Amino acid sequence: MSISKEDVKYIAALARIDVPEDKLEGFTKSLGGIVQYVEQLQKLDVSNVKPTSHAVPVGNVLRSDVVKPSLISKEALVFKVPLIIE
Amino acid sequence: MSQFETVIGLEVHLQLSTKSKIFCSCANQYGCAPNTNVCPVCLGLPGTLPVLNHQALLYGIKVGLALNAEINSFIKFDRKNYYYPDLPKGYQISQFDFPVAKNGYLKIKSGKEEKRIGITRAHLEEDAGKLVHDTSNSCSLADFNRTGTPLIEIVTEPDLRSPQEAYDYLNTLKLTLQYLGVSDCDMEKGSLRCDANVSIRPIGQTSLGTKTELKNMNSFRAVKTALEYEVRRHEQVITAGGKIVQETLLWDDEKAQTQTMRSKEQAHDYRYFPDPDLVPFTIDYKVIDGVRAELPELPQAKFLRFLSQYGLSEYDANILVADHGMADFFEAAVKEYPQGKKIANWLAGPVLMELNNRKAAINELKLTPKDLVTLIAKVEDGVVSNLVGKEVLTFMLDEGKGADDIIKEKGLAQVSDDSALLVIIDEVIAQNPAVVEQIKSGKSNTVGFLVGQAMKRSGGRANPKKLNELITRRITGA
Ligand SMILES: [Zn+2]
């Protein structure tokens, strides 16, 4: 699988990263290299391996429904973000 | 008659009323000062680890079971990636391919017809924060108190065939969820929210038409109106030879129309993947059986039981069951006074009217089941008439006193004393000689007229049975 310039533009847009036109070529090559490297895994025969979502076999970690103190701020904490209206 | 068939699917988001949030120990509380219920976990600060709230999981299983769904024996959490300032981590923790529940259904009644609405899935996730737009300073203010509130999202199959059916489904679902006691289901507070998918297709066609998604409806009524609007729009576009564009639309309740969303035009690419911070869960059948054993009697079962056990009319049973508090009140009252039908009549009649007038719920009234049955017994024993009984109820609620005290204080007891009644009767007889002649000539059914007149004079306090007896005796000597 190879990576195209369009793929890089799309991924950059999803990640909200501004990629200048003259850097596109370079990113396309490096990303392509990474994908090719990982692609080696495709050669493995995994027909006898069960699908898994987590590498470590730990499960059912729960906490009881108890309230603990939240962050304390002397002044009312306000998060300002750019104006976005739908 | 339209040549199109409407196809609707609904997504309901329900906030679960746990004490703490779903993945951290901050209070899950509505209406606090901005950003007072936040911690590094729900603010998505680097290096923090979410841990699932046990109660949220149990509530999820409970909802699944009430919706006749299969509980997955293996569940996991996934990241749904998107950028929006109300989501501090840049992703929402949700469930993708192994939700807590799948393949359920809810039976609804739409008109006379009973119908099964398929539930595709119900999954647990975290709520996002809230943005307050400050246009004058061209910024938005983010309040992350709501971030991490446990949600269950309930998704139907495209089984609903009209806006009315969607409305009926929502009411049945809400009632069921209220019975479960997992949420206050308050749409005004945003505890329950609903998005709708709608499309139309020529009658007889099996494949689905292009759908649009409707958001921002803040009542069930608005869901219905928005769907009606959107169905009409689809019909107009398609009839004129146009094509429906798949998109998300916002409902504007004031203008009563849908509007295209500006900011989310780009097709979503959520890139779901398993959240490495949260381990998977295996749900033991013993856990499921435990939750099942604690399921309360659900509305439809209660309705049928009220019909058979107490012989209630469908009308009365419906009113009682539609309000969990009312149903409980009814059964508590029946324990005190085993006259189910009479109690149901009072609850579905005068008590319901008082509730509507006062815009109150039954448990907010100064009225216990014992108070009500004391009053009903007074009416049955003829101490007060039915009509005066209703007045007594109003006084009881206003003043928070029992029926006995009110009847005594206001002098509302029926007058059954012969000598007092005879004074009134003689006046009525003197004023209506023509009617008296009719009765004498054998038309005994006109006695009712004189009873009515005498009742009026007594201010509704005379015992009607006694009046009838005395008038008849006075005129005919019988
Ligand atoms: Zn927190």
Side-chain angles (χ1 to χ4, degrees):
Chain A
M1 189 186 137
S2 63
I3 296 275
S4 71
K5 274 190 190 175
E6 289 313 305
D7 290 332
V8 176
K9 277 188 188 167
Y10 180 64
I11 294 162
L14 285 175
R16 304 292 190 273
I17 296 171
D18 193 15
V19 177
E21 201 64 30
D22 61 324
K23 294 265 168 80
L24 259 182
E25 187 75 47
F27 277 129
T28 307
K29 267 195 187 140
S30 353
L31 270 176
I34 293 168
V35 170
Q36 266 175 21
Y37 177 69
V38 177
E39 224 165 19
Q40 295 180 64
L41 291 171
Q42 302 281 19
K43 293 182 195 146
L44 291 175
D45 177 11
V46 291
S47 50
N48 288 322
V49 180
K50 266 190 167 179
T52 182
S53 58
H54 291 72
V56 189
V58 178
N60 291 36
V61 178
L62 292 154
R63 42 168 275 273
S64 48
D65 185 18
V66 174
V67 177
K68 290 182 186 160
S70 296
L71 281 183
I72 299 165
S73 69
K74 288 262 150 62
E75 293 158 47
L77 212 53
V78 172
F79 296 95
K80 255 192 201 180
V81 296
L83 182 69
I84 295 183
I85 297 180
E86 278 156 12
Chain B
M1 195 59 196
S2 161
Q3 75 263 40
F4 293 109
E5 178 181 48
T6 302
V7 178
I8 297 168
L10 297 177
E11 293 168 12
V12 165
H13 285 87
L14 182 79
Q15 288 184 340
L16 300 172
S17 50
T18 51
K19 296 187 194 78
S20 62
K21 293 188 180 180
I22 184 164
F23 298 120
C24 66
S25 304
C26 290
N28 172 24
Q29 210 179 345
Y30 176 83
C32 297
N35 297 309
T36 48
N37 295 331
V38 294
C39 74
V41 174
C42 54
L43 289 175
L45 301 187
T48 55
L49 278 179
V51 185
L52 181 62
N53 182 336
H54 196 173
Q55 188 62 57
L57 176 61
L58 294 176
Y59 279 171
I61 295 172
K62 201 172 183 184
V63 170
L65 290 175
L67 298 176
N68 310 293
E70 294 166 38
I71 304 302
N72 266 325
S73 57
F74 172 86
I75 68 165
K76 69 179 178 70
F77 288 87
D78 303 271
R79 293 185 179 180
K80 179 181 179 179
N81 299 276
Y82 66 95
Y83 277 115
Y84 204 65
D86 62 5
L87 198 69
K89 295 196 294 295
Y91 60 84
Q92 179 191 27
I93 303 176
S94 181
Q95 296 192 289
F96 183 57
D97 45 0
F98 292 97
V100 64
K102 62 179 179 190
N103 300 335
Y105 65 86
L106 185 66
K107 273 193 209 160
I108 67 163
K109 233 184 188 176
S110 207
K112 288 260 162 208
E113 228 179 300
E114 197 178 68
K115 204 178 154 176
R116 247 183 205 214
I117 306 303
I119 306 286
T120 315
R121 54 186 278 148
H123 65 257
L124 291 166
E125 59 186 24
E126 56 179 349
D127 208 346
K130 230 184 211 168
L131 294 179
V132 182
H133 303 302
D134 181 358
T135 33
S136 56
N137 292 308
S138 68
C139 69
S140 295
L141 302 172
D143 175 3
F144 294 122
N145 279 347
R146 200 177 68 179
T147 309
T149 296
L151 289 180
I152 189 159
E153 180 176 338
I154 301 162
V155 184
T156 71
E157 291 287 305
D159 282 351
L160 299 153
R161 287 292 169 268
S162 69
Q164 179 64 44
E165 253 182 39
Y167 182 77
D168 294 329
Y169 163 80
L170 286 171
N171 278 310
T172 309
L173 178 68
K174 181 181 169 186
L175 189 60
T176 306
L177 296 169
Q178 279 173 330
Y179 269 58
L180 293 181
V182 295
S183 170
D184 64 9
C185 301
D186 189 338
M187 280 195 98
E188 278 175 33
K189 287 200 264 171
S191 312
L192 193 157
R193 311 192 287 268
C194 175
D195 299 336
N197 288 302
V198 58
S199 63
I200 62 169
R201 61 184 170 193
I203 288 173
Q205 181 182 311
T206 46
S207 62
L208 294 170
T210 307
K211 68 179 178 185
T212 52
E213 186 180 5
L214 305 180
K215 286 177 181 283
N216 200 41
M217 292 82 74
N218 47 23
S219 68
F220 290 167
R221 180 71 45 194
V223 173
K224 187 169 168 243
T225 319
L227 282 169
E228 284 163 353
Y229 173 90
E230 196 57 11
V231 168
R232 252 192 328 269
R233 192 182 68 84
H234 282 217
E235 282 179 356
Q236 280 163 4
V237 169
I238 291 171
T239 311
K243 273 199 170 136
I244 292 295
V245 184
Q246 181 163 352
E247 61 181 338
T248 301
L249 301 164
L250 288 182
W251 174 247
D252 185 329
D253 211 31
E254 248 166 62
K255 290 188 192 149
Q257 62 186 41
T258 51
Q259 286 175 335
T260 304
M261 276 173 84
R262 280 189 297 141
S263 67
K264 292 190 178 170
E265 278 163 12
Q266 194 185 358
H268 283 308
D269 185 349
Y270 292 128
R271 295 153 293 143
Y272 280 99
F273 65 87
D275 191 326
D277 287 347
L278 282 152
V279 298
F281 298 85
T282 43
I283 314 287
D284 197 276
Y285 73 92
K286 280 184 213 147
V287 173
I288 300 172
D289 286 348
V291 176
R292 199 192 308 275
E294 278 172 24
L295 278 184
E297 182 181 36
L298 292 173
Q300 273 145 354
K302 201 182 279 288
F303 174 80
L304 293 176
R305 184 168 62 82
F306 278 10
L307 295 189
S308 62
Q309 187 176 342
Y310 304 111
L312 302 189
S313 67
E314 287 198 6
Y315 176 84
D316 284 353
N318 248 324
I319 287 179
L320 297 183
V321 171
D323 177 348
H324 198 191
M326 193 81 128
D328 285 349
F329 191 100
F330 168 74
E331 293 211 275
V334 174
K335 272 194 194 121
E336 301 279 342
Y337 186 76
Q339 296 279 349
K341 271 181 163 172
K342 292 209 168 96
I343 295 169
N345 282 333
W346 271 83
L347 284 171
V351 175
L352 185 67
M353 207 163 84
E354 294 287 346
L355 291 177
N356 291 339
N357 290 343
R358 291 159 200 263
K359 295 193 171 47
I362 187 117
N363 51 6
E364 293 167 342
L365 291 184
K366 294 178 202 155
L367 186 77
T368 64
K370 203 166 190 168
D371 292 335
L372 181 68
V373 298
T374 308
L375 170 62
I376 297 176
K378 294 281 170 213
V379 174
E380 292 307 313
D381 295 347
V383 177
V384 291
S385 68
N386 211 26
L387 205 70
V388 174
K390 289 178 194 168
E391 267 178 65
V392 175
L393 177 67
T394 308
F395 282 123
M396 285 166 68
L397 298 179
D398 286 343
E399 302 178 18
K401 288 178 186 161
D404 285 315
D405 289 343
I406 296 288
I407 292 168
K408 210 181 283 169
E409 281 173 27
K410 315 266 174 201
L412 291 171
Q414 271 188 4
V415 181
S416 303
D417 172 48
D418 284 11
S419 57
L421 290 180
L422 281 172
V423 175
I424 298 172
I425 287 167
D426 286 340
E427 280 170 24
V428 171
I429 285 175
Q431 277 170 9
N432 296 282
V435 182
V436 172
E437 279 314 307
Q438 282 179 352
I439 295 169
K440 275 186 181 160
S441 65
K443 278 185 124 185
S444 57
N445 53 349
T446 40
V447 173
F449 174 77
L450 295 184
V451 171
Q453 293 296 308
M455 187 59 111
K456 239 189 222 167
R457 271 172 189 271
S458 76
R461 289 174 47 219
N463 180 333
K465 234 180 175 175
K466 199 90 195 183
L467 276 181
N468 202 313
E469 254 174 54
L470 289 174
I471 291 172
T472 312
R473 204 188 310 154
R474 202 68 161 176
I475 295 173
T476 62

